[in-house]
Amino acid sequence: MSRKVVRLTLDHLDALTSPCRSCLFWELDPVTRRRVEDPAAEKRAWLSEVLREWGSCGQVVLVDGEPVGHAVYVPPAYAPGAAGIPTAPVSPDAVLLTTAYVDPAHVGGGLGRMLVQGMARDLINRGGIRAVEAFGTTLPGAVAPCLVPAGFLAGVGFGTQRAHPTNPRMRMELRSALTWRDEVEAAVERLLGAVRPAPKPVRPPTPSRGTVSRAAGR
């Protein structure tokens, strides 16, 4: 079974199996959401605008080539729906992780962590972004389907930025993620060094007979 993480594109949006592909909880304020006649088309237009103006804003995890999970992250200006959450607003030095979803059939295999790591790599490579924040939830998924479980966020490196009984705002410093990446790369190098065969000793060349005879005759 092959697993890999790739950047979110409009083509991926059409293939996602979660309700997030047409949900506008983050993308629009509540008043505007109620006026939308075609949520799927509105979501596609929103994603197209973000990709055009800000660039990559999501990661998709593929299992045997099929998308089974995704994460979406944007500057807070692209997520006006966040204004209604009790622990808003997002810190000015952070982007907002709005969605992290893995198909229930694949939960428990580390795919959520792969998505967060892919997001961290993308943002670190961009430069100028200090952190990622997310509005967690302590409620069951059926009650708060558009928020990321606080337990999952804590498990992948987020800490509480602003506490709340049901909607804590969580934060992950990208500097910490960068340190983690460097430590992993260093560990891999040490491992590879440990398993590489030791170099064979270099033996001095054996002198020819003629050389020995001339040296002995001097």
Side-chain angles (χ1 to χ4, degrees):
M1 180 175 65
S2 66
R3 309 190 307 174
K4 67 177 181 178
V5 175
V6 298
R7 290 183 175 183
L8 174 67
T9 68
L10 288 172
D11 291 338
H12 290 130
L13 183 62
D14 295 335
L16 296 180
T17 58
S18 77
C20 298
R21 64 179 176 181
S22 60
C23 175
L24 299 172
F25 177 84
W26 299 103
E27 292 78 4
L28 300 174
D29 63 85
V31 175
T32 306
R33 274 202 306 268
R34 288 194 291 268
R35 299 172 181 169
V36 174
E37 297 181 358
D38 188 344
E42 187 69 26
K43 182 67 170 264
R44 188 177 182 85
W46 175 87
L47 179 58
S48 179
E49 178 184 8
V50 177
L51 290 173
R52 183 176 63 253
E53 296 182 356
W54 190 63
S56 174
C57 64
Q59 302 289 318
V60 176
V61 61
L62 305 176
V63 173
D64 293 336
E66 295 296 325
V68 299
H70 63 279
V72 179
Y73 45 92
V74 293
Y78 289 101
I85 298 177
T87 47
V90 174
S91 301
D93 63 346
V95 300
L96 173 63
L97 170 64
T98 60
T99 304
Y101 173 86
V102 174
D103 186 278
H106 295 272
V107 169
L111 299 183
R113 183 176 292 273
M114 289 177 62
L115 287 169
V116 172
Q117 291 170 354
M119 172 188 67
R121 284 193 297 270
D122 179 34
L123 296 177
I124 288 169
N125 291 335
R126 286 170 180 259
I129 300 172
R130 292 188 58 185
V132 181
E133 293 188 359
F135 295 105
T137 179
T138 60
L139 300 174
V143 178
C146 297
L147 278 69
V148 184
F152 167 79
L153 292 170
V156 295
F158 283 73
T160 301
Q161 180 74 2
R162 183 179 174 187
H164 188 272
T166 57
N167 299 134
R169 176 157 49 90
M170 315 277 288
R171 180 180 174 96
M172 180 179 71
E173 300 287 341
L174 287 177
R175 180 175 56 188
S176 300
L178 180 60
T179 301
W180 170 87
R181 185 183 68 174
D182 291 343
E183 290 176 350
V184 170
E185 290 177 350
V188 170
E189 285 299 318
R190 289 194 298 269
L191 177 62
L192 291 176
V195 300
R196 288 191 184 110
K200 295 180 179 180
V202 178
R203 297 180 179 178
T206 302
S208 64
R209 292 182 179 179
T211 302
V212 174
S213 298
R214 287 195 298 271
R218 289 178 183 174

